[in-house]
Structure formats: C-alpha cells, structure tokens
Amino acid sequence: MDGLTFVYSLLFYIVINIFFIGLLLKFWKYVSTPAPLKIPQTPAPKTATGVGVRMFQEVVFFKSLFRGNRLIWLGGYIMHLGLLFVFMKHLRFFFPGTPAFVDTLVDIDLYTGFIFLSALIFLFILRLAIDRTFYVSVFNDYLLLGLLIAIATTGLLARFWDYSGTRAMIPDIKAFVGGLFTFNPGPVPSNKPFMVHFILVMMLLAYFPFSKLVHSIGIFFSPTRNQIDNTRKKRWGPWTVKNPRRSKPKEPVAVQPSFAVKEEPSDS
Amino acid sequence: MAEETAEKTPIEIVTESEHNKNFHGPELTGEIDTPAVEDGLIIKGVTDDVKPYPASESMQAELGFPETLVDNWEDVAVQRLGELLERYKSLQVYLDICVRCGTCTDKCQFYLGSNDPNNMPVARAELLRQVYKRYFTTEGKVFGKLAGARKLDLKLLGDWYAYFHQCSQCRRCSVFCPYGIDTAEISMAAREIMDSIGLGQKYVNSILGKLHEVGNNLGMNPKALKATLESTEEDLEEETGQKIRLPLDVEGAEVLLVTPSADFFAEPHVESLLGYAKVFHQAGISWTLSSTASEAGNFGMFIGSYTQMQKAASRIRRAIEELKPRRLIVGECGHAWRIAYSFWNTLIGPFDMLDPQYPAPQHICEYTLDLVGRGAIKLDKSANDEFTVTFHDSCNVARGAAMGDEPGGQFEIPRALIRASCNKYVEMDKDTIKEKTFCCGGGGGLLTDEIMQIRVQGAMPRMQALHTVMEEDGVNFMALICAICKAQFTKILPKYDVPMSVAGGVHQLVGRAIELGAKA
Ligand code: HEM
Ligand code: SF4
Ligand code: SF4
Ligand code: SF4
C-alpha cells in the first residue's frame, strides 16, 4: 500500500466512525429525551396511521415548506432529490457487483449531478437574495452549502472532465472505495478532482453529526409533527424518565424543582 | 451623559425599557405587507426597548423563584438550560435541527407589525440557540461565532427579556416550518430560564401568585365571587323575566363549568357567561361554577413551567373531587382550552370519576352545538340581524387544541354555532384564518399595558384582515372564543380607530339568539 492510499484509508476509517457513532449518539439523545406534554400542532391526526401519513408528506414532499415558501421549497426539494439520486448512483462504487437498478439509473440519468449542483447554487443565492434569510444566516450556513457545491463540482469534474464522460474510472474507484469496505483498498485513483472530492466528502461526513444536517433524523422526532392528537381518549404520561442523563451541577446553585418524575408506567 | 447617573444594577440594565402606552396603530389598508430591507423598514432592534415590568421580589418568592437576578446568573441559566434540554424533546430537537431556511421569517405577526427582525421566529429562537451552541455543542465550541455561538452576557439577556416577551407563543411559525419547529416551546424555555435566575415578568408572575392563593387570576375571593354572580343573576332576571341561575359550589350538579374569571365581570366577557347560563337553563341541565376552580386560565404555560402549570391545574381536580359533577366543561378561553384539552389529562388526570360517555373536558362550543343539533335548544337567528359576523380563530385553540372527533373540529364547531345564531356570516382572508390564523397580539402573557406598543403592532395583521371585511362586507361583529382575545381587542380596536363593540364572544351571539321558555 502506498503512502497516499494509507493516509486516505486511515482518514476514511476515522471519519466513518465519527459519522456513525456521532449520529447514533444524536439518535439516542432524541429517543431518550422525554416529551412530557402532548404538543401536536393541530389540526393533527387522531391515529398512528394518520401520523404516519403526515410524516410521510413532510419527508417526501416537504408539505409544510411548500405551504410556507414556494421558492425555498423548489430549491430545497430539487436539491434533496438530486442528492438522493446522486447518492444512489454512488452505490455502484460501494459494492463488488453493481445492483441492477443502479445501473439503469446511471444509464438513464446523466444530468442529476448538474441539477443537484444548480439547486445548491440556487439555494446559496436565495440565502443572499432574500433579505430576511440573509439576516438570519450564519457563516456555517454558507460554509455547508459551499462544501456541498464543492463536492458536487469536483464530483462532476471527476466524471466529465478527466475521464471525458466515459466510465473508465469506475473500476479504479471501485477498487479503492469498494476495497475500503472490505478492508482491502486498491490504490487511490490518480484522478485529481476525485482526490479532492473524496477529502471534501470526508469533511462533510465528519461535520454531519455536529451540524444542522441532523435535521435528517431530527425531523422524525419533532413532537409537533409526530404526536397523535388523542389526549382526551388516552392519557399521556405521567411521564417516566427511563434513561435520565443527569448532568452534575457544577456549582451549588439554587434551581427550581422541575416537573415531577414519577416512576410509574407511562400510558395507563 | 449630561445628568448624573447612579450606577445601575444588572437587573435594571436588563429590564430598562421605554413605555408607550398611547401607541397608535398604523392606518388600515387591508394589506399585510412583509417588511423588507429595501424599504428601509427592517431596523435592527427597533423594539428592543419594549419590555414588560419585572416581577417584584415578593411575587418571585411566592412562586419559589429567586427574588432578584442572582449573582451567578450566567452559570445558573446555563445549568437550567441543560436541565431543560434533558427534559424536553421539543427543545433538544428544535435547537439542533433548524437549517435557517427562512420560511418562518415572514410568518410572525410581531415581525410583520414591528419590523424588528429579531421578531422573525428563527431570529427569536437564535437568541437561545446561540447560547445552546456556545455551551452545549461541539460545533459552537469549534467554530464559535461562525456557527452563531454567543456568550450569555447582559446585553443578550436584555434581548431575551425583550424578545421572548414579544412572542405570544401562538405557534403560527410552526405551521410553515419544514420540521414543525415551534418557537413557542423555545420562548417558554427561555422564560423558564429567566425565572430561575430571578428575572420574572410582573404581569404573569403576579397573576400566577393570585391564582395559587385565591383561585383565580383576578384575585377575587369566594365571597366577592358569590356577590358578583348574585347581582348578575338579578340583571339576567330583569332582562329576560326568567329565573336563570349562576350557581356556585353546588355539589352533585351534572356539569362543572370552568371558565376564565374575566367572564364574571369584564366586558364583553360577561355576555358570554350569560350565554352559557341561558344554554344550561334552557337545556334544563343542572350546573355549577366552583370557587375553588374559578379560573380556567393557567399562566403557568406562558412561563414554560410544568410545575406551576400543574399546581394551578390541580385546583380543578380538587373542585371535581369536592363537587362530584358528572361532566367537565370549559368556557371560552384560548390558552385555557389548549391546557384543558391537551394537558389536563396528563397533569391532573385521569378523569375516572366523570361520566365516561362524555369527553373530558368538553368545550362549551362542543356542548352547545350538540344541544342545537339535537333540538334541545332553539336559536332565533334574526335576534342577531343587526350584526354581520366574522370569526377570529384563537391561535391556542386553532393550533394547540381541537374540538369534536375530527381533525379541524376546532374550526368547524364554533363556525357552525355562529352560523346557527346569526344570518350574516363572513369569513376573513383565508391566509388569516384556521390554522393560519394570526394572534390577536395579546396572548402568551403579553396582555399588559406597558408593552402596549408591541400589542398594537402584533395585532396589525388581524386588524388588516378585519378592516377588509368591514369595508367590503359591512362586518360589525368579530366573534371570539378567548378571554385574552376579548380583553386585547377591546383595548386595541380603538387604537386602530375601530369601535370597541366589534369584539364579542361566540356565546354572546348564542345568548342573544336563544329562545327562552320555548321548550322543544
Ligand atoms: C430524511 C432526510 C431529509 C429530509 C426530510 C430533509 C429535509 C430538508 C428540508 C425540508 C430542508 C429545508 C429546505 C431547504 O432549505 O432547502 C432541508 C435543508 C437542507 N438539507 Fe435536508 N433533508 C434530509 C436529508 C439531508 C441530507 C442527508 C443532507 C446531506 C447533505 C441534507 C442537506 C441539507 C442542507 C444543506 C439544507 C440547507 C439548505 C440551505 O442552506 O438552504 N439534507 N432539508
Ligand atoms: S422554518 Fe423552521 S427550519 Fe426554517 S428557519 Fe424557520 S425554524 Fe428554522
Ligand atoms: S410562536 Fe407566534 S409569536 Fe412566537 S415567534 Fe412563532 S409566530 Fe411569532
Ligand atoms: S389571546 Fe387569543 S389569539 Fe392571542 S394567543 Fe391567546 S388564544 Fe391566541
């Protein structure tokens, strides 16, 4: 294994651990934090199935966003669709054989990468152009969009510039990336845009669990959207904290008693 | 500075404010414009000095909060935030996942009315999120200011005190947010943190104290309550010629009615009380009010305190145990209905001792409409012919609670009841009703005169929509189902040169239309 491959591989294993462990910890935090009161944003579904439908509409169509702002919806929706397609196309690098549907996808689709990139640029411009969004944006919002733009650009360059749009790179990349998953990576492909692309993706994955990108799991835990509106029929709580993550008071400071933690089974 | 200034204490700095009780609303055009930078309208900090009076030491002590700003307030605040993060999934998730997409920015009536960008829901939430980032997240520790992390200093605390008291916790922003981020949850948490460091708000905390001590927000003791009800009974008899009762503390009555105490004497609230009394009278149902639970309102929610809210609500449980009614009905009140509908069962339930045939609690509109549907009472619509009526959806009812069995019953049931009581009903602009309703501008503990400016400004969108239907359809009555809405509008309408009499209750209409004596 040459030095570069070693460095790239090491980076990959570190980052992939940060990514998964970080996300798992977030996930666990969201699962274990109680929601002591029912706060669905009404009108809300009265059944679990209804909540499923509501959540589906939010995740698959960004329904509320659509009602709130069409421009942001357009940019955001296309960007995420693009992301989804691009991600699926990447599957061919991860596995030894390529799943048939991915092949078909790659065949019928040449442009999702460009659409993804355009949508990102559109979102970047919106952030600057809508005065209110500009007011609330912080540097990291631009940083993240910039990072994604850079990832998309280098990815497209790797594919269409260096390899002239052919599929010549696939075996090289498969040997390296696919190899990473079987702990037997081939040499890092000498394609310059790819080398940058890879590093940028590692940066994204390492930042992911600590950034606002956790909206991808958080959306499922939003109490205003995932709760059933049935308080008169079924008692909610009294809440039992099963996994209290207690932080020790640093100073002997006087604080108010918080809500009573009763060790009773929830939902009588 | 020219004149001599004594050194200010931290709490004086934080709560220093400008009070403009005579603030007048802008001229009504019917348009709800979004302030924009190009117009030079977005002005940073334009209402940062509109702040309520702080609670006095005795008010704070009564609720078990530190009497005044504690010396180590920064540490205590951060610790309290940490505790709240472990207790509320909403807070933890919402502080993490906002992408600052900007969708909510033009949805808040206080931003639309005041032009202050910190009243954009996400900007309001950022005031707390900045602190969360700085003290609780890796991102904030690594990136600092670049990620929007910020130290909690006196300046920021002052902004908290201003802007978290310019949010009526109406949840309008949450309707449009892709993740349902509820800024109300965030401002509740911020207020709870402020209380826990000794920085309370006078209006809310003094009223909560009265509620705990006497049993209602007005501090009316049982004797005074009895006297008021008796004299109202006399007026009723004079008006209708019938012996319509307003019973108090009757054991074993069929229905216990819990209603906001403003209904006992404030105008136009009392008109609705007369309406309820006529409905019960005509339906021939025994009912009672309770002096233990002479208040449906519960300001514990406004300060985000589960403990305070539970303590206040426990009076209702006590009243049920004392009076042993079979049904529990709640009068016209927005936030009270949210707490009753969504929280009571958790806080003071289960309601095993009530008759399981009926929902517990039940809203007075649900109850009356059911009687109308069954023909148990008759309404004469022509009694309200002098009115062309519109309906203001109270945000706490619209977005925090429900009525009936179907989603959206909270919109249809009051409307059906109004339609049954009058001939002329007009809907306001569709973007200002139902779940998109604008707050009246006085909810969430803002109903206090020293912040009149923000109350007037927050009412702007609703006033514009009302103006349109007044001009185009001749509307002269806006029906309400919230005690705070009623109090707010009677104050605010004149500030927009609209007559006070336009605001009234839904049961005011019912009370006028009901045919007394004509048993079905
Ligand atoms: C369950 C999966 C996901 C859902 C439902 C979801 C939904 C959303 C929604 C509704 C928005 C707001 C609209 C907008 O600003 O564009 C948004 C923003 C964003 N999402 Fe996602 N997302 C998901 C996964 C992801 C993933 C995996 C990424 C990873 C790169 C991502 C990156 C972003 C970015 C960067 C923004 C902010 C766009 C901006 O700055 O304007 N999302 N997401
Ligand atoms: S709509 Fe939601 S995600 Fe977007 S800025 Fe507002 S709170 Fe944040
Ligand atoms: S809850 Fe209502 S008042 Fe508060 S920020 Fe959201 S829209 Fe504005
Ligand atoms: S006063 Fe009425 S409109 Fe305003 S917050 Fe309360 S329920 Fe909403």
Side-chain angles (χ1 to χ4, degrees):
Chain A
M1 189 186 289
D2 61 287
L4 190 68
T5 306
F6 178 77
V7 172
Y8 266 56
S9 308
L10 188 66
L11 183 68
F12 173 82
Y13 293 122
I14 294 175
V15 165
I16 213 76
N17 275 296
I18 296 179
F19 176 77
F20 280 113
I21 294 172
L23 269 191
L24 260 177
L25 288 177
K26 268 279 178 243
F27 183 82
W28 177 241
K29 195 183 251 186
Y30 294 160
V31 172
S32 63
T33 309
L37 292 168
K38 270 265 175 123
I39 57 164
Q41 180 247 307
T42 58
K46 307 264 182 188
T47 60
T49 324
V51 165
V53 172
R54 181 183 210 180
M55 198 49 95
F56 180 85
Q57 290 172 330
E58 292 298 342
V59 172
V60 176
F61 302 117
F62 299 3
K63 184 180 173 197
S64 298
L65 180 60
F66 184 76
R67 295 209 303 176
N69 191 316
R70 296 288 148 88
L71 269 185
I72 298 173
W73 177 84
L74 189 75
Y77 198 65
I78 296 180
M79 186 274 278
H80 284 81
L81 264 189
L83 181 71
L84 184 69
F85 274 81
V86 169
F87 177 78
M88 287 199 301
K89 289 196 295 175
H90 277 67
L91 291 176
R92 76 197 135 135
F93 302 126
F94 303 164
F95 303 109
T98 307
F101 85 95
V102 176
D103 252 346
T104 333
L105 214 69
V106 178
D107 280 339
I108 57 173
D109 150 83
L110 280 171
Y111 303 107
T112 42
F114 291 102
I115 295 174
F116 175 51
L117 178 61
S118 320
L120 282 168
I121 295 174
F122 181 68
L123 283 174
F124 200 104
I125 295 174
L126 270 191
R127 227 172 237 296
L128 297 169
I130 305 179
D131 45 14
R132 286 168 277 118
T133 318
F134 181 70
Y135 180 85
V136 297
S137 298
V138 300
F139 175 81
N140 277 19
D141 297 330
Y142 300 107
L143 182 76
L144 195 56
L145 279 177
L147 185 59
L148 286 167
I149 288 174
I151 289 174
T153 313
T154 50
L156 287 167
L157 281 177
R159 181 166 176 198
F160 288 100
W161 178 49
D162 247 35
Y163 283 102
S164 323
T166 67
R167 292 197 185 175
M169 68 165 173
I170 293 181
D172 288 1
I173 294 184
K174 209 168 177 136
F176 172 59
V177 180
L180 284 171
F181 286 95
T182 52
F183 301 103
N184 181 24
V188 177
S190 61
N191 174 310
K192 293 270 160 22
F194 172 79
M195 289 164 76
V196 180
H197 184 69
F198 187 85
I199 297 292
L200 292 174
V201 172
M202 291 302 113
M203 285 165 68
L204 179 71
L205 291 186
Y207 181 36
F208 198 107
F210 310 102
S211 71
K212 64 182 190 178
L213 294 177
V214 293
H215 69 266
S216 46
I217 51 172
I219 185 171
F220 298 100
F221 292 95
S222 171
T224 55
R225 293 285 157 75
N226 76 4
Q227 290 185 337
I228 307 169
D229 171 25
N230 63 355
T231 38
R232 286 195 292 193
K233 291 224 167 74
K234 192 166 184 335
R235 188 170 184 219
W236 178 251
W239 201 262
T240 314
V241 182
K242 294 195 190 80
N243 304 290
R245 295 171 290 111
R246 292 260 166 269
S247 62
K248 289 210 174 62
K250 290 178 198 94
E251 288 290 306
V253 284
V255 289
Q256 301 313 311
S258 55
F259 67 82
V261 175
K262 294 191 189 123
E263 294 299 334
E264 291 170 25
S266 58
D267 274 7
S268 47
Chain B
M1 236 179 262
E3 73 240 67
E4 189 196 342
T5 46
E7 202 173 322
K8 293 202 180 84
T9 61
I11 193 161
E12 281 167 357
I13 297 173
V14 169
T15 61
E16 196 173 19
S17 57
E18 199 61 54
H19 301 303
N20 185 357
K21 295 187 185 176
N22 297 321
F23 191 86
H24 198 276
E27 204 187 316
L28 293 174
T29 58
E31 296 296 320
I32 303 169
D33 295 321
T34 304
V37 171
E38 297 91 89
D39 303 348
L41 280 176
I42 290 190
I43 311 162
K44 215 171 161 171
V46 78
T47 58
D48 68 355
D49 55 357
V50 181
K51 297 176 188 174
Y53 296 132
S56 72
E57 300 193 353
S58 62
M59 292 169 192
Q60 286 289 96
E62 206 163 317
L63 299 185
F65 295 132
E67 293 176 357
T68 186
L69 197 61
V70 296
D71 287 338
N72 59 341
W73 58 269
E74 184 190 337
D75 295 340
V76 183
V78 169
Q79 188 196 322
R80 189 73 188 134
L81 174 56
E83 290 175 354
L84 295 179
L85 284 167
E86 289 184 5
R87 282 172 173 72
Y88 292 98
K89 199 192 300 265
S90 53
L91 187 67
Q92 173 67 58
V93 172
Y94 295 158
L95 286 181
D96 270 346
I97 67 174
C98 170
V99 295
R100 284 170 295 283
C101 67
T103 307
C104 59
T105 50
D106 55 353
K107 303 297 186 272
C108 177
Q109 54 277 338
F110 295 100
Y111 171 62
L112 297 174
S114 72
N115 305 339
D116 187 319
N118 277 338
N119 277 325
M120 300 192 288
V122 43
R124 193 190 312 287
E126 283 290 306
L127 295 175
L128 181 59
R129 191 172 287 117
Q130 288 167 340
V131 174
Y132 167 66
K133 280 204 178 139
R134 149 109 193 197
Y135 298 90
F136 294 94
T137 70
T138 318
E139 188 192 23
K141 283 172 188 149
V142 173
F143 287 98
K145 273 207 181 77
L146 298 178
R150 191 167 156 197
K151 187 176 150 60
L152 181 57
D153 56 15
L154 271 186
K155 166 80 178 78
L156 186 54
L157 190 62
D159 280 349
W160 277 24
Y161 193 70
Y163 296 108
F164 288 120
H165 290 116
Q166 295 180 21
C167 168
S168 61
Q169 306 175 340
C170 76
R171 316 181 97 202
R172 189 168 196 268
C173 43
S174 123
V175 173
F176 302 96
C177 171
Y179 319 119
I181 292 178
D182 184 2
T183 311
E185 290 290 306
I186 290 171
S187 79
M188 286 172 194
R191 291 189 195 177
E192 183 161 21
I193 294 169
M194 287 192 279
D195 273 324
S196 68
I197 58 174
L199 180 60
Q201 186 228 32
K202 179 179 165 190
Y203 170 69
V204 169
N205 288 8
S206 66
I207 281 188
L208 254 177
K210 276 188 244 164
L211 177 55
H212 291 328
E213 199 187 312
V214 191
N216 56 59
N217 289 355
L218 299 165
M220 216 188 217
N221 63 38
K223 239 170 144 181
L225 179 59
K226 198 166 173 51
T228 312
L229 291 177
E230 276 166 7
S231 83
T232 313
E233 273 178 351
E234 281 163 24
D235 295 347
L236 252 179
E237 186 166 358
E238 221 164 89
E239 179 205 317
T240 63
Q242 309 232 1
K243 266 213 162 321
I244 299 174
R245 303 276 332 276
L246 291 168
L248 184 66
D249 293 332
V250 178
E251 225 185 285
E254 169 87 8
V255 168
L256 169 64
L257 178 77
V258 181
T259 202
S261 55
D263 284 0
F264 299 134
F265 80 104
E267 272 298 334
H269 306 63
V270 74
E271 305 293 335
S272 284
L273 179 70
L274 304 185
Y276 320 145
K278 289 177 187 171
V279 168
F280 289 125
H281 172 84
Q282 191 58 21
I285 300 249
S286 66
W287 68 291
T288 186
L289 295 158
S290 154
S291 55
T292 310
S294 47
E295 178 63 66
N298 186 339
F299 285 11
M301 179 171 81
F302 297 161
I303 57 170
S305 167
Y306 190 102
T307 322
Q308 297 291 336
M309 189 158 63
Q310 190 167 42
K311 185 172 172 198
S314 64
R315 283 185 161 272
I316 288 140
R317 172 109 199 166
R318 232 191 306 149
I320 298 172
E321 281 162 4
E322 281 165 18
L323 301 176
K324 304 183 184 60
R326 294 179 54 217
R327 307 174 66 169
L328 177 59
I329 296 182
V330 179
E332 295 177 356
C333 184
H335 80 281
W337 180 240
R338 178 175 182 201
I339 295 166
Y341 177 90
S342 297
F343 305 159
W344 271 2
N345 203 355
T346 302
L347 295 174
I348 54 168
F351 295 116
D352 293 339
M353 58 298 212
L354 297 172
D355 188 338
Q357 272 186 68
Y358 307 103
Q362 193 172 26
H363 195 277
I364 186 75
C365 287
E366 290 177 306
Y367 174 75
T368 306
L369 186 66
D370 178 58
L371 292 177
V372 175
R374 290 195 283 113
I377 58 171
K378 283 217 158 54
L379 300 177
D380 169 20
K381 295 183 183 190
S382 65
N384 285 316
D385 270 352
E386 64 192 87
F387 296 131
T388 303
V389 182
T390 192
F391 178 61
H392 164 75
D393 288 279
S394 289
C395 42
N396 271 300
V397 178
R399 292 185 284 258
M403 291 182 202
D405 291 325
E406 294 303 316
Q410 69 270 40
F411 310 134
E412 304 316 324
I413 287 171
R415 281 175 172 77
L417 191 54
I418 296 169
R419 284 211 169 89
S421 330
C422 72
N423 279 311
K424 290 174 281 182
Y425 176 74
V426 177
E427 209 64 88
M428 284 185 275
D429 181 16
K430 64 173 177 23
D431 286 333
T432 71
I433 57 168
K434 302 194 174 171
E435 72 262 38
K436 295 184 188 172
T437 188
F438 282 103
C439 175
C440 62
L446 271 56
L447 192 73
T448 175
D449 285 354
E450 72 269 20
I451 52 173
M452 185 55 79
Q453 176 179 344
I454 203 70
R455 286 171 55 189
V456 172
Q457 291 174 322
M460 186 278 283
R462 169 52 70 229
M463 291 307 301
Q464 299 288 13
L466 176 65
H467 175 79
T468 305
V469 289
M470 288 179 77
E471 292 288 300
E472 289 176 5
D473 305 292
V475 164
N476 58 0
F477 192 97
M478 177 164 60
L480 308 167
I481 43 168
C482 170
I484 295 178
C485 296
K486 289 172 194 169
Q488 158 80 347
F489 280 120
T490 38
K491 268 270 168 73
I492 281 342
L493 291 172
K495 305 265 184 196
Y496 283 92
D497 304 320
V498 174
M500 211 155 90
S501 59
V502 169
V506 168
H507 274 78
Q508 184 173 343
L509 295 173
V510 173
R512 290 169 57 103
I514 195 165
E515 290 180 14
L516 291 173
K519 281 271 174 217

